[in-house]
Amino acid sequence: MIALAQRLLMTARATPDAVAIASGVERLDYAGLADQVQRFAAMLFAQGIRSGERVAIVLPNSIEAVVACYGCWLAGCIAVPLAPQSRMRELHALLRHAGARMIVHEPDNADAQGAADRCDPPLVRIVSGGRPPSAVATGWDDAMRVAPLAESRAAGAMASIMYTSGTTGSPKGVTLTHANFAANVDAINGFLGLCAADSVVSVLPFHYAYGASVLHTHLAAGARVVLETNSMFPHLLVESMVRERPTGFSGVASNYALLLDHLARPEHDLSSLRYLTNAGGALPAAFARRLRAALPGAALIVMYGQTEATSRLAWLPAARLDEKPGSAGQAIAGVTLEVRNEAGAPLPPGRAGEVWAKGDNVMSGYWNDAMASAAVLHEGWLRTGDMGHLDDEGFLFLAGRRSDMIKTGAHRVHPLEVEEVLIELPGVVEAAVVGVDHDVLGQVVKAYVVGDGRTLDANAVRAHCRARLAAHKVPRLVEFASELPRTASGKVRRVELGDRIAERVLS
């Protein structure tokens, strides 16, 4: 197994002038990227950060984010990518949970600054771009004025902690090893056939498994990664694709929904695209048909996976889309999938149960959470929490999750995260949050609120949440109720709330 940071250095030696990262007008070749990565690794040691210590990377997709991740790996440190749009409260909890020693953030990210200031002991702070906001932070340019690390330091097995809410509301740090990343990259590059001639427009956040996988697979192939921040402005995104001539694009259903009206326009030459990938939730059949009609020369590849599996578990070849409608695909190379009953016994084809997975890409466990790890890891197998069945050929068909996770766009939201904030609002006695189907985002957050008689309105509820939560976690819909449906044990019956929504849609 060759770790991804070492592969990057090997590519830089073999094709130093090939463009690795394109960000706007800026182009960074593999030699330049390797130099920055080696400088970042050297800077970590100069700042007193040692192998095995955690470095929080709170950055949007950028060259600095790539450099920080690979620099951590080269130095034997553990990269902890976190969402830059997270609020201070969320970030502080994650920084403490990870035991971070350093944080890298943008100069105008007040929430990251506040979260770092609240940590004890204080974190080493590196600020990307511009002037540092205070004397306790070091600017990026100053930090990188060190001699490049001549060779990588001895690294432990672990590479990253990637946070996911999992099946409960408390944060779960998915611990991924260098071997996990290598296995994931090799399998994906195999079925996509990625090579140095390829390029991808990257719109998915690096702090999510899908976005990180897009980055790592292409860099491992010596390909070009085009960073695009205009995913919510489809005309600008398509203009970038026309200009950059990528061979691939990876997105979730909401990305494709926004792009569909622009892709088929005759003035947009997208003939360079040879593949499209979709994951992070099912792509509606109508979207898939329109997408294939708009881009007939690009193979549409459906994929399925989890953060706990580094990214990918199954893929559906484009040639079998019509033959296997609704399928999440077959197991990727190196992965075994089984469907099991509640007792953990394998079920025959056609029988529904929980999806179990085994492979070199499966995580080593949750960071500092032996109980949660034991609940999902059994003798090398991962209990995914997804329900479904396998057909006679081993193709997987999913039928929902055991958990109540809300998938909105490229994001994952657990109801408890939002409910805890709602309860803090004066006048709210209790609250329950569910996902509501949405044509573009897949789902949006809806809150059911029980008040104590004080005057409350939906706008006040949303304003309270906006001040404390990332934008994608703020309820789009708010409904006031006299009580919440509960089980005999007192738990809120979210399924019943979902049924109420369905009844209204059907009526």
Side-chain angles (χ1 to χ4, degrees):
M1 185 275 296
I2 302 176
L4 299 190
Q6 279 66 42
R7 297 191 196 192
L8 176 66
L9 298 186
M10 291 167 61
T11 301
R13 289 192 291 268
T15 56
D17 298 328
V19 175
I21 307 288
S23 179
V25 297
E26 188 174 0
R27 297 289 187 273
L28 186 63
D29 59 28
Y30 273 93
L33 178 58
D35 178 74
Q36 289 198 32
V37 165
Q38 289 173 301
R39 289 179 187 276
F40 191 93
M43 178 273 295
L44 290 174
F45 285 97
Q47 293 283 353
I49 311 299
R50 297 294 178 256
S51 296
E53 293 191 309
R54 277 75 64 202
V55 176
I57 304 169
V58 191
L59 295 173
N61 287 12
S62 59
I63 289 174
E64 290 87 350
V66 178
V67 169
C69 176
Y70 279 77
C72 284
W73 290 348
L74 202 63
C77 297
I78 298 167
V80 186
L82 300 175
Q85 68 269 31
S86 296
R87 295 299 188 185
M88 184 190 309
R89 164 193 180 130
E90 301 168 274
L91 283 174
H92 181 244
L94 295 176
L95 292 172
R96 289 185 59 193
H97 187 263
R101 283 271 289 114
M102 173 185 279
I103 183 172
V104 186
H105 64 84
E106 293 180 293
D108 57 353
N109 190 333
D111 287 293
Q113 295 173 36
D117 288 341
R118 293 173 62 187
C119 288
D120 185 20
L123 303 186
V124 179
R125 290 170 54 187
I126 305 297
V127 176
S128 68
R131 299 180 62 183
S134 69
V136 299
T138 303
W140 183 269
D141 291 343
D142 289 337
M144 298 289 278
R145 289 194 181 101
V146 292
L149 191 68
E151 57 184 29
S152 62
R153 303 297 175 94
M158 201 161 83
S160 284
I161 302 173
M162 301 196 75
Y163 277 93
T164 176
S165 293
T167 55
T168 70
S170 58
K172 285 187 173 65
V174 176
T175 59
L176 299 175
T177 66
H178 291 285
N180 289 154
F181 280 105
N184 181 71
V185 160
D186 290 341
I188 294 173
N189 284 7
F191 69 71
L192 287 183
L194 292 183
C195 67
D198 280 304
S199 60
V200 68
V201 170
S202 172
V203 298
L204 300 168
F206 294 157
H207 58 268
Y208 284 126
Y210 191 7
S213 182
V214 171
L215 171 70
H216 301 320
T217 51
H218 285 78
L219 290 183
R224 176 171 56 104
V225 179
V226 180
L227 304 182
E228 182 52 69
T229 59
N230 289 312
S231 60
M232 297 307 294
F233 301 93
H235 66 288
L236 295 178
L237 177 54
V238 172
E239 287 175 6
S240 175
M241 294 169 71
V242 170
R243 181 177 61 254
E244 295 288 349
R245 304 286 295 165
T247 60
F249 180 81
S250 298
V252 296
S254 58
N255 297 130
Y256 290 116
L258 290 170
L259 285 172
L260 272 172
D261 290 337
H262 299 265
L263 293 176
R265 294 182 182 177
E267 67 270 24
H268 294 152
D269 179 7
L270 298 173
S271 59
S272 63
L273 288 169
R274 71 169 184 85
Y275 78 88
L276 307 169
T277 66
N278 175 78
L283 184 67
F287 284 179
R289 286 193 297 270
R290 291 179 59 194
L291 191 56
R292 294 168 74 189
L295 298 170
L300 176 58
I301 298 170
V302 173
M303 306 185 302
Y304 157 70
Q306 290 191 333
T307 305
E308 287 86 346
T310 314
S311 175
R312 210 53 56 224
L313 286 170
W315 73 292
L316 180 62
R320 307 201 71 175
L321 271 174
D322 295 327
E323 182 186 352
K324 303 283 186 180
S327 175
Q330 59 192 349
I332 66 172
V335 166
T336 301
L337 295 177
E338 289 185 356
V339 173
R340 301 189 180 188
N341 61 20
E342 291 186 3
L347 293 169
R351 290 280 301 278
E354 183 179 359
V355 180
W356 289 48
K358 187 175 186 178
D360 289 339
N361 57 340
V362 170
M363 69 171 183
S364 58
Y366 294 115
W367 177 253
N368 286 345
D369 198 335
M371 185 177 298
S373 300
V376 299
L377 294 175
H378 298 271
E379 298 179 348
W381 288 88
L382 168 69
R383 296 186 61 172
T384 68
D386 288 318
M387 307 300 288
H389 73 273
L390 295 168
D391 69 8
D392 291 334
E393 292 186 85
F395 282 77
L396 177 65
F397 291 79
L398 296 171
R401 278 192 62 75
R402 289 188 301 110
S403 73
D404 302 306
M405 185 68 71
I406 300 167
K407 295 183 177 181
T408 176
H411 303 288
R412 303 292 180 271
V413 179
H414 196 282
L416 290 180
E417 295 180 270
V418 186
E419 290 164 4
E420 289 174 356
V421 170
L422 288 168
I423 294 298
E424 295 175 355
L425 178 62
V428 174
V429 176
E430 56 182 351
V433 169
V434 296
V436 178
D437 289 345
H438 189 276
D439 288 342
V440 174
L441 296 174
Q443 288 183 309
V444 293
V445 178
K446 177 170 184 176
Y448 287 87
V449 175
V450 177
D452 64 1
R454 287 184 245 184
T455 301
L456 284 173
D457 60 35
N459 288 334
V461 171
R462 284 191 289 266
H464 172 79
C465 291
R466 275 195 298 270
R468 293 162 178 80
L469 294 168
H472 61 270
K473 299 179 183 179
V474 176
R476 291 281 192 97
L477 305 171
V478 178
E479 182 171 330
F480 293 93
S482 58
E483 61 181 5
L484 299 177
R486 295 185 179 276
T487 65
S489 62
K491 294 181 180 180
V492 174
R493 290 182 54 83
R494 299 184 199 280
V495 172
E496 187 173 326
L497 292 174
D499 289 343
R500 290 181 185 178
I501 296 168
E503 287 172 5
R504 289 172 193 155
V505 172
L506 292 172
S507 62

